[in-house]
């Protein structure tokens, strides 16, 4: 993609978006102003031969992009990858994900974090972290009254930030 989807109407400087992207901080002294361009995103997966009761898929994805620091004109990059596994046995579903995010924002004041934004709210996020997620869900086969496709789930996720001092 040549660039992100852009900013829409809202109160923030650059966070009026429907998905989280790098954005201009509302307060310049407490955030960054990074523009992301030239995104290369890929995904591969393999579905093992399904049976009547068991399906299993494994895969990986990768994201690389060029970053332009709008405050100093320096260029950096973003590299993120993950591996995943998804299994379905009867009405039970599991998903496991592990990955890594590395972002070089070329910002001398805030080298360990960058400003992201979504839904008209900007926030700072660690540039270097590993992440892990496990999910278990159950798909009810029959509707319950007027409700159908009921799927309660449990999810546990961890974001292991590499720099110290983050909450």
């Amino acid at each position: 993609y040549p660039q992100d989807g852009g900013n829409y109407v809202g109160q923030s400087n650059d966070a009026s978006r429907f998905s989280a992207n790098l954005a201009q901080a509302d307060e310049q002294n407490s955030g960054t102003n990074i523009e992301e361009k030239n995104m290369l995103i890929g995904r591969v997966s393999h579905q093992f031969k399904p049976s009547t009761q068991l399906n299993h898929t494994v895969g990986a994805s990768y994201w690389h992009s060029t970053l332009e620091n709008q405050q100093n004109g320096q260029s950096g990059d973003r590299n993120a990858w993950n591996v995943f596994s998804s299994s379905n046995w009867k009405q039970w579903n599991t998903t496991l994900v592990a990955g890594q995010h590395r972002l070089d924002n070329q910002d001398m004041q805030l080298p360990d974090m960058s400003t992201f934004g979504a839904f008209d709210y900007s926030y700072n996020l660690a540039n270097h972290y590993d992440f892990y997620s496990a999910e278990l869900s159950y798909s009810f086969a029959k509707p319950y009254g007027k409700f159908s496709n009921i799927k309660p789930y449990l999810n546990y996720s961890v974001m292991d930030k590499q720099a110290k001092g983050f909450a």
Side-chain angles (χ1 to χ4, degrees):
Y1 302 96
Q3 62 186 32
D4 70 29
N7 189 39
Y8 299 94
V9 178
Q11 302 298 315
S12 66
N13 283 342
D14 188 34
S16 297
R17 313 160 176 268
F18 294 108
S19 63
N21 290 299
L22 284 156
Q24 179 182 352
D26 290 328
E27 301 289 330
Q28 285 305 125
N29 58 351
S30 63
T32 62
N33 184 1
I34 309 295
E35 187 174 337
E36 187 168 27
K37 294 183 176 182
N38 305 319
M39 292 172 254
L40 174 66
I41 302 168
R43 179 182 187 269
V44 294
S45 65
H46 175 74
Q47 182 175 12
F48 293 92
K49 185 176 179 182
S51 70
T52 57
Q53 294 185 352
L54 179 65
N55 293 311
H56 186 70
T57 303
V58 295
S61 66
Y62 179 74
W63 177 327
H64 173 81
S65 60
T66 303
L67 307 177
E68 292 181 6
N69 187 314
Q70 300 300 298
Q71 294 169 318
N72 63 22
Q74 302 270 336
S75 292
D77 58 13
R78 176 183 189 179
N79 291 289
W81 63 267
N82 74 56
V83 292
F84 59 88
S85 170
S86 177
S87 298
N88 308 89
W89 178 69
K90 296 183 180 180
Q91 290 158 277
W92 290 97
N93 311 288
T94 62
T95 301
L96 301 172
V97 180
Q100 193 173 74
H101 181 265
R102 300 292 183 260
L103 191 149
D104 176 13
N105 67 9
Q106 291 294 311
D107 193 291
M108 301 309 159
Q109 281 77 31
L110 298 169
D112 295 326
M113 68 180 88
S114 293
T115 302
F116 282 73
F119 300 104
D120 207 25
Y121 176 75
S122 64
Y123 54 91
N124 290 326
L125 185 67
N127 286 338
H128 300 290
Y129 59 86
D130 299 332
F131 57 93
Y132 311 94
S133 180
E135 182 171 298
L136 175 66
S137 65
Y138 183 83
S139 299
F140 284 92
K142 297 180 181 178
Y144 183 76
K146 294 182 180 184
F147 300 102
S148 60
N149 299 321
I150 299 171
K151 189 177 184 178
Y153 63 92
L154 298 170
N155 180 288
Y156 182 76
S157 297
V158 173
M159 181 179 181
D160 182 16
K161 301 167 205 92
Q162 303 302 300
K164 303 302 177 208
F166 283 99

